[in-house]
Amino acid sequence: MKKYWLVFKNSAQGELVYRFNFFALFFAEFFSLGVFAYLWASIYRQGNQIGSYNLEVLIAYYLLTRFINLTIKAWDVAWVVGDLIRDGWLNNYIVKPMNFLFYTFFSNLGSIVSRMLVYVFVFLLAAIFIFKGVNLTFISVFYFLLFLAIAFIINFLIFYLVGVSTFYFEYVLGFNFIMQNVASFFSGNLMPIDIFPPLLLKLANILPFKYIAFVPVSVVMGRENNFFSLILGGLIWIVILYLAAILLYKKGIKKY
């Protein structure tokens, strides 16, 4: 376990080295949040309402999804894994006495912890002004953190699988781009999935993406209290994705 701790620590320290990219991403996300808030405010000023969301709750929803998007993003995992396989650098990891999936996981986890430590204070400050219409409780915050951990693992495994698919497709630029957009849409990053049309809502509930953003945010906002069935569903998806990752990697190594 010590070797994975070193991977985690080096990744966390490395994330802080590129401070410009770090904060450029942060301000880009906040700009995006501002655009969403302006558009929805325009809709609500005309007397319209979307589902059961008033404007204050909707902005709080987008604030939380932006926080999740900033902290647990894993699309770069697909690039890293894909480049290692395609360029032949995977050889250096095969000969090391460590599991490649776990190595990648702890490397990504180090980056996430660094981002979270920086961003959480700014989001907490913003929440003081925005969360007036949201009733936060200790239980809801506890389950939010639990579902955030589930969200990170599911998100990581999805994009790890995209990266591992390089064994078979050689270059996954298009696949990764498609998966980013699919995940963003069905996770509820663009809009809450409970305002989807019935057919899309049914599809969103079948796929694992809702656990990335919609479920954690709905839990902390008190819009979802079916905790145990959601936890079970999230854990089932983690097992499915983990087994798929192991299977594709083993078959891919033989091909490699």
Side-chain angles (χ1 to χ4, degrees):
M1 194 64 191
K2 184 178 179 181
K3 54 194 174 188
Y4 297 118
W5 164 251
L6 291 174
V7 171
F8 167 82
K9 186 171 71 172
N10 290 336
S11 176
Q13 292 172 344
E15 184 75 20
L16 295 174
V17 170
Y18 303 101
R19 294 183 182 88
F20 177 78
N21 290 338
F22 203 76
F23 288 102
L25 177 63
F26 172 77
F27 285 112
E29 287 290 340
F30 250 93
F31 176 77
S32 176
L33 174 64
V35 171
F36 271 110
Y38 175 77
L39 290 174
W40 285 112
S42 298
I43 293 172
Y44 277 82
R45 275 197 299 268
Q46 296 175 17
N48 298 318
Q49 181 163 330
I50 308 299
S52 59
Y53 294 84
N54 60 43
L55 181 59
E56 199 172 57
V57 171
L58 195 62
I59 292 176
Y61 175 90
Y62 277 113
L63 177 70
L64 283 167
T65 56
R66 283 296 175 266
F67 173 72
I68 292 173
N69 192 47
L70 273 172
T71 52
I72 71 166
K73 70 181 183 70
W75 53 263
D76 51 336
V77 170
W79 298 125
V80 173
V81 172
D83 288 346
L84 289 174
I85 295 170
R86 188 176 58 256
D87 298 336
W89 290 103
L90 185 63
N91 296 339
N92 298 328
Y93 297 88
I94 292 175
V95 298
K96 290 179 179 179
M98 63 174 64
N99 182 293
F100 182 64
L101 189 153
F102 290 164
Y103 170 86
T104 310
F105 176 84
F106 281 98
S107 178
N108 188 235
L109 181 61
S111 300
I112 283 171
V113 170
S114 294
R115 291 195 294 267
M116 192 167 288
L117 289 175
V118 173
Y119 297 145
V120 70
F121 298 107
V122 180
F123 275 89
L124 284 175
L125 181 63
I128 294 174
F129 301 98
I130 294 176
F131 275 66
K132 296 175 182 177
V134 179
N135 184 26
L136 295 179
T137 65
F138 174 79
I139 294 296
S140 64
V141 172
F142 169 78
Y143 278 109
F144 170 73
L145 295 175
L146 177 60
F147 281 110
L148 192 61
I150 292 174
F152 159 61
I153 297 171
I154 289 177
N155 200 37
F156 165 80
L157 287 171
I158 288 171
F159 286 98
Y160 177 83
L161 281 166
V162 173
V164 169
S165 67
T166 304
F167 282 128
Y168 309 93
F169 304 124
E170 295 187 8
Y171 200 67
V172 293
L173 173 65
F175 185 27
N176 192 17
F177 179 75
I178 291 171
M179 190 56 67
Q180 287 178 48
N181 284 279
V182 170
S184 181
F185 181 74
F186 283 106
S187 68
N189 266 321
L190 297 179
M191 66 180 71
I193 67 171
D194 57 358
I195 64 174
F196 282 4
L199 183 60
L200 283 178
L201 178 59
K202 186 175 181 179
L203 183 59
N205 283 322
I206 294 172
L207 297 172
F209 303 110
K210 70 175 184 177
Y211 291 97
I212 298 173
F214 178 77
V215 169
V217 173
S218 296
V219 165
V220 77
M221 294 179 69
R223 301 180 64 85
E224 181 63 70
N225 55 18
N226 196 10
F227 302 131
F228 296 109
S229 64
L230 288 172
I231 291 171
L232 180 61
L235 293 178
I236 289 172
W237 270 114
I238 288 174
V239 171
I240 292 171
L241 293 169
Y242 176 71
L243 293 176
I246 292 176
L247 179 63
L248 287 182
Y249 182 79
K250 284 184 176 180
K251 288 185 175 294
I253 281 292
K254 293 179 181 179
K255 187 178 178 65
Y256 181 77

